[in-house]
């Protein structure tokens, strides 16, 4: 007979106990293990959502990069750097997205050798639709927190993020 699947909370408690038994500090492990579990669950949902929208993660990265740039156009090289892919892969990705009407490419008027990429109205609408759909799941994820608790959680996580600014590599662990 198969074992009953454990809940996320049970899995979290077991993982924390394992890491603490191996020498991890309990409060650190509680936070990091919980963040990992939430991220993993949301990533599973996002992957299904992207499949439903007929988008790859790479195409989503382009939509997000261009939406974040707002009225600025980006070059394929900037998009490739932001997505950590080879420029040739970005060219292929942009070809597919342009064929779907999600992005537009045009020559840079100040540098004829450069191409500028921007979102089309359809690309912006797809980005907005996806964001609205995600917000439903993300709000549900935080449903057990009241507004003040959400504000405090956001504040605390932003403190952690600020502490990570400029950190490129994992910290060096010094032994004895």
């Amino acid at each position: 007979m198969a074992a009953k699947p454990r809940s996320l909370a049970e899995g979290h408690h077991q993982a924390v106990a394992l890491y603490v038994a191996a020498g991890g500090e309990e409060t650190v492990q509680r936070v990091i293990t919980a963040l990992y579990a939430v991220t993993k669950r949301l990533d599973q949902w996002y992957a299904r959502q992207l499949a439903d929208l007929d988008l790859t993660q790479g195409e989503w990265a382009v939509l997000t990069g261009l939406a974040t740039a707002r009225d600025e156009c980006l070059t394929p090289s900037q998009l490739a750097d932001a997505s950590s892919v080879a420029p040739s892969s970005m060219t292929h990705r942009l070809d597919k997205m342009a064929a779907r009407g999600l992005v537009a490419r045009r020559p840079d008027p100040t540098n004829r050798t450069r191409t500028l990429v921007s979102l089309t109205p359809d690309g912006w609408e797809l980005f907005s639709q996806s964001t609205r759909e995600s917000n439903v799941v993300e709000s549900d994820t935080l449903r057990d927190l009241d507004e003040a608790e959400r504000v405090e959680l956001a504040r605390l996580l932003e403190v952690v993020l600020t502490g990570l600014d400029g950190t490129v590599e994992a910290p060096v662990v010094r032994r004895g």
Side-chain angles (χ1 to χ4, degrees):
M1 190 158 118
K4 178 183 174 188
R6 57 180 197 214
S7 69
L8 279 176
E10 290 170 331
H12 170 71
H13 292 302
Q14 289 176 358
V16 169
L18 174 69
Y19 296 132
V20 169
E25 199 277 305
E26 183 179 4
T27 57
V28 171
Q29 295 308 316
R30 286 178 58 205
V31 170
I32 298 303
T33 303
L35 283 172
Y36 176 76
V38 169
T39 301
K40 185 177 175 183
R41 181 58 61 96
L42 285 172
D43 282 348
Q44 291 168 344
W45 187 86
Y46 296 142
R48 285 192 304 270
Q49 180 192 31
L50 290 178
D52 289 347
L53 295 171
D54 194 27
L55 285 173
T56 66
Q57 287 187 326
E59 291 167 339
W60 175 249
V62 170
L63 286 179
T64 302
L66 292 172
T68 302
R70 292 284 183 173
D71 295 331
E72 271 186 59
C73 294
L74 298 178
T75 66
S77 295
Q78 289 171 315
L79 290 166
D81 287 345
S83 302
S84 300
V85 298
S88 59
S89 296
M90 184 54 63
T91 299
H92 177 69
R93 185 175 296 161
L94 292 173
D95 287 344
K96 288 175 52 181
M97 294 178 75
R100 289 181 60 193
L102 301 175
V103 298
R105 290 184 282 195
R106 63 180 173 80
D108 183 340
T110 63
N111 180 343
R112 293 174 34 168
T113 63
R114 212 164 55 173
T115 299
L116 298 176
V117 183
S118 61
L119 280 180
T120 64
D122 285 349
W124 178 255
E125 179 52 37
L126 184 61
F127 175 79
S128 296
Q129 172 194 352
S130 176
T131 299
R132 288 188 305 271
E133 290 175 9
S134 295
N135 192 65
V136 171
V137 171
E138 293 159 350
S139 295
D140 193 48
T141 299
L142 300 173
R143 72 181 171 274
D144 294 332
L145 300 176
D146 65 29
E147 185 66 23
E149 290 169 326
R150 288 180 188 193
V151 168
E152 181 63 6
L153 178 59
R155 186 191 70 75
L156 292 170
L157 290 172
E158 288 161 356
V159 169
V160 172
L161 285 172
T162 300
L164 293 175
D165 278 345
T167 304
V168 176
E169 298 175 19
V172 175
V173 176
R174 302 194 198 295
R175 303 217 187 260

